[in-house]
Amino acid sequence: MNKHLIVLLAALFTQGAWAETHNVMAFLADPVAVLDEQGKQQRELPKKDTPSQPVPVLQYNKGLDLVQVELAGQKVWLDTMDLRIVPPLNIVELPCQGLTKSQTKDSRNASTIGFGAGCNQ
């Protein structure tokens, strides 16, 4: 009984047990480039041939910004720019106090300028 409890507690507190699962929710490019682990293009996959249901991300190569997924029984690498991944892999935090505010010369700019919802400025 104690051995089972120890194994269960160890599993609960390992990083893998709490890891967040990322899923490819949509394929944005047409065609989607299928790559090898070094980022070299192997072939192209038409968007109409991509799965319509979410596809789990198996691995993430942060250096090359590639994800490995399983498509049609094969493990392949895809460029994250061609995909919508939920939850996002890279979230950049900007310090609000370090961002420059609009100057007087910006008053004639017809575009929308803002820092985003997290900055209340």
Side-chain angles (χ1 to χ4, degrees), residues 42-63:
Q42 299 297 305
R43 59 187 164 91
E44 290 182 339
L45 179 67
K47 188 174 181 177
K48 66 179 179 64
D49 294 339
T50 61
S52 57
Q53 70 276 5
V55 178
V57 172
L58 303 174
Q59 291 185 47
Y60 175 52
N61 182 333
K62 191 172 186 174

Side-chain angles (χ1 to χ4, degrees), residues 13-36:
F13 291 104
T14 60
Q15 183 178 2
W18 294 102
E20 192 171 24
T21 304
H22 297 276
N23 291 308
V24 175
M25 302 304 284
F27 293 84
L28 306 175
D30 190 16
V32 176
V34 177
L35 312 169
D36 66 6

Side-chain angles (χ1 to χ4, degrees), residues 71-93:
L71 296 177
Q74 288 186 317
K75 292 181 179 178
V76 297
W77 290 90
L78 304 173
D79 189 346
T80 59
M81 295 299 290
D82 294 345
L83 311 169
R84 180 177 304 121
I85 300 174
V86 175
L89 292 168
N90 292 322
I91 299 175
V92 178
E93 298 290 331

Side-chain angles (χ1 to χ4, degrees), residues 60-114:
Y60 175 52
N61 182 333
K62 191 172 186 174
L64 296 175
D65 205 24
L66 302 176
V67 293
Q68 185 184 46
V69 298
E70 189 171 331
L71 296 177
Q74 288 186 317
K75 292 181 179 178
V76 297
W77 290 90
L78 304 173
D79 189 346
T80 59
M81 295 299 290
D82 294 345
L83 311 169
R84 180 177 304 121
I85 300 174
V86 175
L89 292 168
N90 292 322
I91 299 175
V92 178
E93 298 290 331
L94 296 175
C96 296
Q97 66 273 14
L99 299 174
T100 58
K101 296 182 180 179
S102 295
Q103 303 296 318
T104 307
K105 64 183 177 183
D106 295 334
S107 62
R108 294 180 189 218
N109 188 337
S111 65
T112 303
I113 299 175

